[in-house]
Amino acid sequence: MPIARPAASIALDGFELRVLQIPLLSPFTTSFGTEHVREVIVMRALTADGDGWGECVTGAAPLYSSEYTQSSWDVALRYLIPALLKREQVAPEDVAPALAPFVGHRMPKAGLELAVLDSALRTEGRSLGDYLGAERDRVPSGVSVGLQSDPAALVDAVGGYLDEGYVRIKIKIKPGRDVGDTGAVRDAFGDIPLQVDANSAYTLDDVVALEQLDRFELLLIEQPLQEDDLVDHATLARRLRTPVCLDESIVSVKAAADALALGSASVINVKAGRVGGYLEAVRIHDLARGAGVPVWCGGMLETGIGRAANAALAALPGFTLPGDVSASSRFYARDIVTEPAVLEDGHVRVPTGHGIGVEIDAVALDEFTVARETVRR
Ligand code: OSB
Ligand code: MG
């Protein structure tokens, strides 16, 4: 369902942007690299009635997508924020159309839209979950486990997360670290809900290796091929029994419609940051739900800001598979919100407070800030 009740508009005084560097509890390794620190941009909408908070999910380098910290910082300050500040009043629904003339850069667009949404909903006294159409008060929590030094270390890591109560395990794979790693987890833990994520590390030449994964009865394989390989993904999907899920390729509701029409995917990972915001994410949810295609909520190592918003999104009825909506403690010793997401009986609660429903820990925010810029109208 489209947004049932739009939010009121707000008068923006400006934005404050910060680059944060938050240490990770343990290194996070994917097929595209290892991160020890999460570099992220926090975006604060400034208004007379109260501020709003958003997060831009770019990483330090253009490895997951072409977007990265400095590209987002530059385009936000040079083009996106000035376009928003030109308007007397901005409603959350106005943000994407106002920014549409600027090609791409969906991650900073999403961060700015979330900041406006948070401010508008706080002013109205509504929660983001209520606004988006959440139908649950908690969501099942899956965990994304990075590549480890060897399969034994992977089994140790997965065992720890299962002991904590995570209801679904996703492991990262890459060529040469797929069948062995997946088999080790299946041998150790049997029939657990298990899926794999390749982050674009394969080509169609690897189809024989990928067919070997079919015997593990995985929930899905996420993004085996490159972002723009929609046709190759369709070819691969016809060869595999394992359902193909797309992450990087789904940059908009149009991309999702194209992928479904081509048969490139039978499951979609929805990340609001990657698709330009929570409103576009809801449109993808609605499209997939109408087509009977399951979706789940992905993650980008969000701080407490994006983590709270993701929990609200994942509570929509079409999110029928557990998402990468884990506890803050999966990644961080210290978060930048006063009540970081926790795991309770394998679930994360959907915040009910106004806006994103969490408050900023100003001391932690300052501690992790490495750059800061304020723009006023
Ligand atoms: O591909 O889903 C991915 C983290 C950073 C970039 C890309 C991905 C991921 C994850 C972690 O898998 C998901 C999470 O935030 O828990
Ligand atoms: Mg992924």
Side-chain angles (χ1 to χ4, degrees), residues 240-273:
L240 301 184
R241 270 203 309 121
T242 307
V244 172
C245 170
L246 290 176
D247 172 356
E248 284 88 329
S249 297
I250 306 300
V251 296
S252 63
V253 67
K254 175 65 162 63
D258 289 353
L260 295 181
L262 283 167
S264 315
S266 53
V267 185
I268 292 175
N269 168 339
V270 180
K271 287 181 182 169

Side-chain angles (χ1 to χ4, degrees), residues 31-336:
S31 61
F32 59 78
T34 299
E35 284 183 290
H36 297 84
V37 170
R38 176 60 169 132
E39 183 171 286
V40 62
I41 304 176
V42 164
M43 302 175 143
R44 180 184 196 171
L46 308 170
T47 86
D49 297 323
D51 296 345
W53 296 87
E55 161 170 1
C56 169
V57 300
T58 38
L63 298 172
Y64 164 81
S65 87
S66 62
E67 300 185 57
Y68 64 107
T69 305
Q70 290 306 317
S71 71
S72 299
W73 185 262
D74 186 76
V75 79
L77 290 170
R78 200 183 294 273
Y79 298 105
L80 308 182
I81 290 173
L84 293 176
L85 295 184
K86 260 203 298 214
R87 304 181 168 222
E88 289 299 320
Q89 294 274 318
V90 180
E93 296 78 16
D94 298 335
V95 173
L99 303 182
F102 306 106
V103 175
H105 298 286
R106 294 178 173 90
M107 294 177 183
K109 289 175 178 175
L112 293 169
E113 185 195 79
L114 183 59
V116 171
L117 254 177
D118 184 40
S119 174
L121 292 173
R122 281 181 200 263
T123 306
E124 272 182 54
R126 283 170 79 191
S127 71
L128 180 64
D130 174 65
Y131 172 84
L132 295 176
E135 292 190 355
R136 285 170 283 181
D137 55 13
R138 58 179 208 160
V139 295
S141 181
V143 64
S144 174
V145 185
L147 286 155
Q148 307 291 318
S149 51
D150 53 54
L154 175 64
V155 165
D156 267 5
V158 169
Y161 293 122
L162 290 172
D163 288 346
E164 283 186 60
Y166 286 103
V167 302
R168 183 228 68 196
I169 299 292
K170 152 171 149 185
I171 62 170
K172 295 290 188 178
I173 59 168
K174 66 177 184 180
R177 292 294 304 277
D178 38 37
V179 176
D181 282 35
T182 309
V185 172
R186 270 282 177 253
D187 287 348
F189 305 111
D191 199 19
I192 57 166
L194 180 65
Q195 62 194 53
V196 297
D197 187 359
N199 286 113
S200 308
Y202 295 85
T203 74
L204 266 190
D205 293 340
D206 300 311
V207 64
V208 172
L210 293 169
E211 278 171 345
Q212 305 306 307
L213 294 171
D214 276 346
R215 71 178 121 110
F216 298 118
E217 302 291 339
L218 299 171
L219 289 168
L220 54 91
I221 179 171
E222 186 178 342
Q223 197 72 37
L225 313 178
Q226 297 280 304
E227 176 176 325
D228 50 9
D229 282 345
L230 281 188
V231 172
D232 284 357
H233 272 110
T235 304
L236 179 65
R238 286 192 293 271
R239 293 282 298 268
L240 301 184
R241 270 203 309 121
T242 307
V244 172
C245 170
L246 290 176
D247 172 356
E248 284 88 329
S249 297
I250 306 300
V251 296
S252 63
V253 67
K254 175 65 162 63
D258 289 353
L260 295 181
L262 283 167
S264 315
S266 53
V267 185
I268 292 175
N269 168 339
V270 180
K271 287 181 182 169
R274 187 195 63 226
V275 305
Y278 285 83
L279 297 181
E280 187 79 352
V282 171
R283 287 189 278 273
I284 296 174
H285 162 273
D286 294 349
L287 169 85
R289 193 166 183 231
V293 169
V295 302
W296 54 281
C297 182
M300 290 291 288
L301 277 57
E302 278 85 353
T303 74
I305 296 171
R307 204 165 285 279
N310 284 348
L313 179 67
L316 269 65
F319 285 80
T320 53
L321 289 168
D324 287 341
V325 187
S326 52
S328 173
S329 63
R330 154 70 185 88
F331 294 110
Y332 303 113
R334 189 166 181 206
D335 205 326
I336 58 164

